[in-house]
Amino acid sequence: MILSVGNSHQTKPDVYFEDKPVMVVKADGLWQAVVGIPLASKAGTLRIVVKRGEEKSTQLFSIKDKQYPTQYITVNDERKVNPNPIDMKRINQESSRIQEALTAWTETNNEPVNFVWPIKGRVSGLFGRRRVFNGEPRNPHSGMDIAAKTGTPIHAPATGIVRGTGNYFFNGNTVFIDHGQGLITMFCHLSRLDVQDGQTVKQGDIIGAVGATGRVTGPHLHLGVSLNNERVEPRLFFPPESELKN
């Protein structure tokens, strides 16, 4: 959701949604809040809080319901569907590291990011699909999948700072890039990692390679976009899908 929150000649406001800081950019002579809406949000009226110095106000906006198709997936490794107690201990430990990456906030005054696709390939999974693994319902798909050969180089979609790397139970080898103001991209299931935590990358830099680590049915890149710590539709930030073709 993009909401105008003042004229650009005014001081840049601080904006919050569900107590989380929100990206604010200057465009068309206005300050605009770019708000990530959770998939779990129900249709109805939501609000942001706008703070400018000692002044505080609220702004309401409405969202509509959207239904996503269901995707049925067969995973050969049953532990990737029903983890055992040892797996769960690992998963819980990893959750805090993932949250640390997704809640990173770097204050910038950059204009909205013009992303480029990190790889070329076939879209094999879309955002929001309700997923059923081996007959058991699980969380909706929080990103999009792009199928490509193992070893295909993955490029940074825009300039940013690496805020986390590692090998995770479900996500496999993963890289998180902080583009500023709560906008984070994530790249999962990599065969290798070519960057380190804290490293600055420029648009087009190689950050790793496509693989099949974690919970997968074949080699592909899971591309995720997080805004104010909510996973959002990646295609909102990237060029037309026609540019994904080899």
Side-chain angles (χ1 to χ4, degrees):
M1 190 70 187
I2 299 177
L3 299 164
S4 297
V5 289
N7 294 319
S8 59
H9 67 267
Q10 296 175 295
T11 303
K12 180 180 179 181
D14 295 319
V15 179
Y16 299 86
F17 173 66
E18 296 184 347
D19 298 322
K20 300 173 184 176
V22 167
M23 172 183 282
V24 178
V25 298
K26 187 185 294 185
D28 300 324
L30 298 169
W31 289 117
Q32 297 185 340
V34 187
V35 189
I37 308 300
L39 264 174
S41 293
K42 296 181 179 180
T45 301
L46 302 176
R47 71 170 188 166
I48 57 172
V49 176
V50 182
K51 295 182 179 179
R52 185 177 281 106
E54 298 299 320
E55 298 180 7
K56 178 179 176 181
S57 62
T58 60
Q59 191 166 328
L60 303 180
F61 63 97
S62 297
I63 60 170
K64 297 179 180 179
D65 188 38
K66 179 175 175 63
Q67 294 295 322
Y68 293 92
T70 298
Q71 186 177 18
Y72 296 88
I73 301 170
T74 299
V75 178
N76 293 329
D77 186 352
E78 181 62 25
R79 284 172 53 194
K80 289 295 192 294
V81 180
N82 293 297
N84 63 35
I86 295 176
D87 296 331
M88 288 305 304
K89 181 178 180 180
R90 174 186 171 184
I91 292 166
N92 291 334
Q93 290 173 340
E94 292 174 350
S95 294
S96 61
R97 292 167 53 198
I98 293 172
Q99 278 301 300
E100 184 177 356
L102 293 174
T103 56
W105 181 273
T106 302
E107 189 60 47
T108 66
N109 291 315
N110 295 335
E111 294 301 312
V113 176
N114 293 315
F115 284 160
V116 296
W117 290 107
I119 63 171
K120 303 288 186 180
R122 175 180 61 85
V123 175
S124 56
L126 290 174
F127 175 83
R129 297 317 191 239
R130 292 170 290 178
R131 311 190 98 181
V132 179
F133 289 99
N134 297 358
E136 300 189 33
R138 291 295 184 265
N139 290 333
H141 195 210
S142 61
M144 66 181 294
D145 294 334
I146 306 172
K149 293 181 179 179
T150 296
T152 301
I154 299 169
H155 302 268
T159 297
I161 301 171
V162 178
R163 291 299 184 198
T165 62
N167 181 273
Y168 300 98
F169 184 81
F170 289 121
N171 295 340
N173 291 324
T174 300
V175 174
F176 298 90
I177 302 180
D178 171 10
H179 302 285
Q181 296 201 78
L183 181 60
I184 313 291
T185 50
M186 59 187 295
F187 310 84
C188 305
H189 311 308
L190 279 59
S191 60
R192 70 168 194 267
L193 305 174
D194 292 337
V195 291
Q196 299 177 341
D197 291 359
Q199 179 179 338
T200 297
V201 293
K202 295 181 180 179
Q203 187 176 71
D205 286 352
I206 294 176
I207 61 173
V210 171
T213 56
R215 183 169 66 186
V216 297
T217 57
H220 71 280
L221 170 65
H222 172 95
L223 170 62
V225 176
S226 183
L227 188 62
N228 49 266
N229 195 23
E230 299 296 350
R231 263 48 75 204
V232 295
E233 169 64 82
R235 291 180 295 177
L236 293 171
F237 297 84
F238 285 87
E241 287 180 54
S242 59
E243 295 189 21
L244 269 172
K245 298 178 181 180
N246 291 306

